[in-house]
Amino acid sequence: MNFRQLDLNLLRVLATIHRTRSVTAASKALSLSQPATSNALARLRHFFDDELFVRSPTGLKATRLCERVAPAVLAQLQALEIAVAGHDAFDPETNPMRWQMSMSDLGEMMFLPPLAAALRRQAPHAHLSNISVGAADVAAALDNREIDCAIGILQPRHRGIRTDLLFRERYVAIASPSWRPAAGKPSPRRRSRVLTRGDLAQAALVVSSPTATFHSGVEEMLAHMKMSDRIVMRVRHFGALPEIALTTDMLAIVPDMYARSLQQRHDLSTWELADAPAYEVRLVWHASTEKDPAHRWMRELIHELFARAD
């Protein structure tokens, strides 16, 4: 038999007769005349060179070949119907979606734990991988379907890319509890733990310089403030900064969200930076997934977990 010669419409007839065990009932279910349904069955028998159905006291009985073929045909037809007509159907409790996201190491630390907990509760069959993509390459990775979305300081201008503001953030400094700014004139700000440019100009700084999509702006901020020469150490991962700050005289420059999470586990002091600019953390995705129900559900979940008012 040559599959290319088979009229695929006949497969709907095969599956329906198999389900109803009656040509008459199948013709009604398919909105066909009984002669048209009988003719379709005759063409199926010719193609498969098999009776497919034989009469019995309880209706049509499927042959062994039909019992092997019909369930597979039905499964494929149902999958095709879902893909074509049921695009609005998405059940996170049963769907085994595989998500490819892009976050930096800090993004993993800040976003993945609550996202993982939410997925295990709401979408227990979902799989998620974090793919390291440089900020400049995020748009291309989305366009090539290498990732589904990214979270970070991202404002891609590429056509076909969508973004959603999650929150605005600022940088702060963390240090050991014993750290104090260099001696200077008394200031009311000192009591509120705000460091001026003059304070930073006399401090030793350590920063993280990741290559992925969340934070590459610390050094840019310090360069804008003309404080790059105060960086005495660069590390690859934010996870190294707490211990360095606790055991040295260096200030570590980190996002405020990260500093607040560290204070729950470490005895660290936090200092505000008087002239630190705010930045925007965004969710980024491709326009082709804008109306996809699964992608829309994931974006809504991320927004629910991490979006906050200014």
Side-chain angles (χ1 to χ4, degrees), residues 20-300:
T20 62
R21 304 294 178 174
S22 165
V23 172
T24 301
S27 64
K28 291 180 180 179
L30 293 168
S31 298
L32 295 175
S33 66
Q34 186 163 340
T37 306
S38 296
N39 180 62
L41 177 57
R43 293 172 63 189
L44 285 164
R45 283 169 168 166
H46 176 74
F47 177 80
F48 285 104
D49 192 22
D50 187 88
E51 283 297 301
L52 298 177
F53 300 97
V54 295
R55 296 188 182 280
S56 74
T58 57
L60 295 180
K61 181 177 179 61
T63 65
R64 294 185 65 181
L65 174 64
C66 184
E67 285 292 4
R68 178 171 59 85
V69 173
V73 168
L74 179 60
Q76 294 301 317
L77 289 174
Q78 290 175 337
L80 183 61
E81 182 179 0
I82 291 172
V84 174
H87 62 277
D88 288 330
F90 173 71
D91 183 358
E93 292 187 0
T94 59
N95 194 291
M97 281 293 296
R98 292 184 176 273
W99 302 100
Q100 304 271 77
M101 301 184 65
S102 182
M103 295 174 277
S104 71
D105 67 313
L106 185 58
E108 282 194 337
M109 296 164 68
M110 294 289 94
F111 299 136
L112 273 191
L115 181 56
L119 286 176
R120 295 306 297 161
R121 290 193 307 269
Q122 302 180 39
H125 301 287
H127 297 74
L128 188 149
S129 298
N130 183 31
I131 310 298
S132 180
V133 178
D137 300 321
V138 165
L142 289 167
D143 195 48
N144 295 330
R145 305 294 176 88
E146 296 170 9
I147 57 174
D148 298 300
C149 61
I151 302 176
I153 307 176
L154 300 165
Q155 290 185 315
R157 307 299 182 188
H158 296 68
R159 186 176 182 179
I161 303 300
R162 301 286 186 265
T163 72
D164 183 22
L165 175 65
L166 294 177
F167 57 89
R168 291 181 174 85
E169 184 64 294
R170 61 199 176 96
Y171 294 111
V172 298
I174 57 173
S176 72
S178 61
W179 186 90
R180 293 292 182 273
K185 293 182 179 180
S187 168
R189 281 183 168 180
R190 186 71 70 238
R191 290 192 295 271
S192 61
R193 288 190 174 275
V194 177
L195 300 178
T196 65
R197 288 197 183 201
D199 295 326
L200 287 181
Q202 301 180 66
L205 306 180
V206 54
V207 301
S208 175
S209 300
T211 58
T213 60
F214 194 80
H215 285 283
S216 59
V218 177
E219 292 204 50
E220 293 178 8
M221 178 196 74
L222 293 173
H224 180 74
M225 298 172 69
K226 300 185 179 351
M227 297 290 173
S228 295
D229 62 329
R230 301 313 305 161
I231 301 175
V232 299
M233 185 175 293
R234 291 175 174 86
V235 300
R236 291 178 55 200
H237 303 291
F238 277 88
L241 295 180
E243 192 68 23
I244 292 173
L246 281 170
T247 57
T248 71
D249 63 341
M250 289 188 283
L251 286 177
I253 308 299
V254 302
D256 181 56
M257 179 175 63
Y258 183 45
R260 285 185 276 110
S261 72
L262 289 175
Q263 287 182 325
Q264 301 175 17
R265 304 184 302 276
H266 301 279
D267 185 20
L268 287 162
S269 295
T270 300
W271 297 80
E272 296 181 21
L273 306 179
D275 299 312
Y279 58 87
E280 296 181 342
V281 176
R282 291 180 172 272
L283 170 64
V284 182
W285 68 94
H286 198 273
S288 62
T289 64
E290 181 78 17
K291 295 184 178 180
D292 182 271
H295 285 255
R296 188 167 60 240
W297 178 85
M298 175 59 87
R299 293 196 300 270
E300 290 173 353

